[in-house]
Amino acid sequence: MDPIKESENQMKKHLEEKQQLSEAESVEKQRPQKSPGWIDKAISAVNGVVGDYLKEKNNGLEIQMAFYHENQPLCLEKASLKKMFPRATQKICVLVHGLACTESIWQFSTVDGTHLTYGSLLQEDLGFTPFYLRYNTGLHISDNGGFFADLMQSLVESYPKKVREIILIGHSMGGLVIRSACRVGKERQQPWIDRVGRAIYIGSPHSGAPLEKIGNIASYILHGINEPYTRLAGNVINLRSSGIKDLRYANVAKHDWHGFDPDELLKSRKTKTPLEHHIAHYFVAGAIMKDEKNWISSIIGDSLVGLSSAKGQAETENSPVFPDGNVRVFPGFHHNRLAYDPDVYQQIRHWCA
Amino acid sequence: MEKLKGAKDLLQEMVEKGTTAVEDIHKETADRYFNVLEEVPLFQVPVKGVRLVHDAIASNVYDVIRLVNRGVGMAAGAALDGLDRSENKNKAAATKPE
């Protein structure tokens, strides 16, 4: 039998067993876990749309970047982390959500109140201690990359055990934040970057997102029409955050956008941001149609990110070279489903084993 | 509480900016018609007068909307501050040793 198929069957059995937990299971697994409610999700959505404005105005709705555990930001202190993570190992995996989301995007089934995620399954199967980032997705990707790099350094310094291996998993914009953080970590010579063994990009728009390009074109056209109503509509469209505008061409570095008009029509100022050589990079892409080679799939991909963009296929000389072979496409999967599917987990597990 | 205050501030700013945007559209649209009418010599003087009155009334209406918005914002802010103080007092009382 195909080894991946065999693993998939084992995975399904594993999930079924989890759904029949016995009373002998530990209190930690049985206790219902708090996850973001609709208010937290609404605040994240607002941050995604106008997060840069919230930061500028010092508004209380702005999300401060932190690792979250049971819907509360983690205090990065040794004693506190030791108490929160009694099963901490020397291997950690960090999951970074995408635009306008929270860490709840990773949850895909509920077993007696426990939320299963790629992180919790990697913990059970391969001994990785999971951490979930929540952040203001409206800021520039490069700004979030810088904050994330510093946060990773703080995590490694305050972790109760010596960290030997780090896996970074990013969904959508989260993958670009990871790329940015790795670049910053390397520039600042932060020790955490050397411990990163794998980076997994799930539905990340490495060549940019078509929806943002459409928004850019729409606002340009509306401003071009000399009518107050159309100009107003154009102004409203241009209110979208810096984070959203960075998705146009996947700007992961400050010099990709600094000093340029963010609303100029379809002009890529992106510079080459090479991938770290010591890290193994993997790409997960979704295709809305069952047949990934279908022309609809190739144009709209998983409905938000094009197939070639998510697969990391270089389009310009300023795109980094992505390694062949570390790509898996999931036909019939829409964008969000990539963040919480057992089949995708199975692939991640295979890469991380 | 910070989130509530943030939501209040955001809503207030949205109403403020929205009101100004609508006012700008109103003025620009009205100016187009007044400009056309003022081209006709017969209507020039009366239209100028109507325009002055219209602009004054319109500005006042929008100013009142913005004023009410700021007033409501201030009142909501004061109420939230009061709630915050009250919560802090209760928390302090609850943790005070007997």
Side-chain angles (χ1 to χ4, degrees):
Chain A
M1 190 192 267
D2 174 32
I4 292 212
K5 249 308 184 232
E6 194 178 2
S7 299
E8 278 175 14
N9 291 338
Q10 281 176 0
M11 172 67 192
K12 281 178 185 153
K13 193 181 165 190
H14 182 68
L15 281 175
E16 281 165 18
E17 280 170 1
K18 276 189 177 293
Q19 287 186 359
Q20 293 159 16
L21 285 175
S22 66
E23 288 179 6
E25 202 65 41
S26 71
V27 169
E28 193 182 324
K29 281 183 191 171
Q30 287 178 334
R31 181 171 54 86
Q33 295 180 355
K34 290 176 197 163
S35 64
W38 70 269
I39 292 177
D40 296 303
K41 290 176 187 173
I43 291 172
S44 285
V46 170
N47 271 253
V49 177
V50 291
D52 46 352
Y53 179 80
L54 295 179
K55 185 171 183 69
E56 184 192 320
K57 295 291 181 184
N58 224 13
N59 189 294
L61 285 178
E62 194 211 347
I63 295 172
Q64 302 300 320
M65 182 184 280
F67 295 112
Y68 271 68
H69 180 70
E70 295 206 11
N71 206 28
Q72 291 297 320
L74 276 177
C75 174
L76 295 184
E77 279 176 0
K78 234 179 189 79
S80 175
L81 287 179
K82 200 170 180 178
K83 191 179 171 190
M84 289 287 210
F85 298 94
R87 298 193 293 164
T89 64
Q90 291 182 299
K91 303 193 290 186
I92 64 175
C93 63
V94 178
L95 293 93
V96 184
H97 63 71
L99 177 70
C101 293
T102 66
E103 67 278 10
S104 65
I105 191 74
W106 302 109
Q107 295 167 4
F108 62 86
S109 73
T110 305
V111 180
D112 288 352
T114 304
H115 294 114
L116 290 182
T117 65
Y118 298 157
S120 68
L121 288 167
L122 283 174
Q123 182 175 35
E124 293 303 316
D125 294 344
L126 298 176
F128 284 89
T129 306
F131 287 86
Y132 303 90
L133 191 74
R134 193 191 297 181
Y135 62 107
N136 176 355
T137 53
L139 301 182
H140 279 290
I141 291 173
S142 56
D143 289 342
N144 276 322
F147 299 144
F148 183 40
D150 291 340
L151 199 66
M152 283 300 299
Q153 186 54 34
S154 298
L155 173 64
V156 166
E157 284 170 359
S158 56
Y159 195 65
K161 294 200 170 165
K162 183 177 166 64
V163 175
R164 294 209 181 278
E165 186 182 348
I166 299 173
I167 289 178
L168 301 173
I169 303 174
H171 176 245
S172 192
M173 177 193 266
L176 300 181
V177 171
I178 285 172
R179 277 184 53 199
S180 182
C182 289
R183 188 190 62 84
V184 170
K186 195 76 182 175
E187 272 175 14
R188 294 179 188 171
Q189 296 180 316
Q190 292 172 327
W192 69 269
I193 187 70
D194 296 325
R195 296 171 214 188
V196 178
R198 292 174 183 82
I200 301 173
Y201 310 98
I202 302 175
S204 296
H206 299 282
S207 307
L211 258 185
E212 163 50 26
K213 288 172 185 157
I214 290 170
N216 180 223
I217 294 168
S219 80
Y220 186 83
I221 290 171
L222 287 167
H223 276 112
I225 301 170
N226 189 22
E227 283 292 328
Y229 297 100
T230 55
R231 282 202 308 275
L232 177 64
N235 287 340
V236 169
I237 292 175
N238 277 347
L239 284 177
R240 66 200 191 285
S241 65
S242 304
I244 293 177
K245 291 177 184 175
D246 275 349
L247 290 175
R248 195 179 311 153
Y249 291 108
N251 295 338
V252 298
K254 187 171 181 177
H255 40 260
D256 292 344
W257 57 266
H258 191 250
F260 303 118
D261 177 7
D263 299 316
E264 61 182 339
L265 179 66
L266 294 180
K267 180 82 181 170
S268 174
R269 307 277 186 181
K270 194 165 85 168
T271 54
K272 197 165 184 170
T273 299
L275 299 174
E276 296 306 314
H277 294 298
H278 73 279
I279 299 173
H281 301 271
Y282 301 94
F283 304 86
V284 171
I288 203 88
M289 307 296 288
K290 292 281 182 202
D291 177 12
E292 69 180 80
K293 291 187 172 41
N294 183 290
W295 66 272
I296 297 173
S297 287
S298 54
I299 292 173
I300 65 172
D302 61 18
S303 77
L304 289 179
V305 176
L307 208 50
S308 60
S309 189
K311 283 160 75 174
Q313 288 169 343
E315 285 182 357
T316 70
E317 61 183 49
N318 282 334
S319 296
V321 176
F322 294 107
D324 291 331
N326 290 1
V327 177
R328 175 80 191 269
V329 178
F330 289 85
F333 277 48
H334 63 75
H335 186 68
N336 280 357
R337 184 180 167 187
L338 295 172
Y340 52 80
D341 187 87
D343 292 338
V344 176
Y345 169 68
Q346 199 51 42
Q347 181 62 70
I348 292 171
R349 188 182 185 284
H350 176 72
W351 283 330
C352 297
Chain B
M1 194 55 68
E2 283 306 310
K3 291 191 170 77
L4 265 176
K5 288 179 186 172
K8 185 270 298 175
D9 289 341
L10 186 64
L11 189 60
Q12 189 178 336
E13 283 155 26
M14 276 169 56
V15 172
E16 176 92 20
K17 287 184 178 359
T19 304
T20 305
V22 169
E23 183 182 12
D24 290 344
I25 290 179
H26 181 158
K27 275 190 178 153
E28 195 174 331
T29 309
D31 282 350
R32 283 188 184 184
Y33 293 106
F34 283 129
N35 289 343
V36 167
L37 286 171
E38 280 183 16
E39 291 296 313
V40 180
L42 190 66
F43 298 144
Q44 206 172 50
V45 171
V47 165
K48 269 198 169 98
V50 168
R51 188 175 193 162
L52 269 169
V53 171
H54 164 269
D55 287 353
I57 293 174
S59 287
N60 280 338
V61 166
Y62 289 110
D63 285 343
V64 164
I65 293 172
R66 279 189 285 264
L67 199 64
V68 167
N69 179 45
R70 276 174 222 153
V72 169
M74 279 172 61
L80 287 172
D81 284 341
L83 259 174
D84 205 6
R85 274 194 295 273
S86 168
E87 263 182 28
N88 288 339
K89 255 190 202 165
N90 290 341
K91 272 184 196 163
T95 54
K96 197 175 175 183
E98 290 178 22

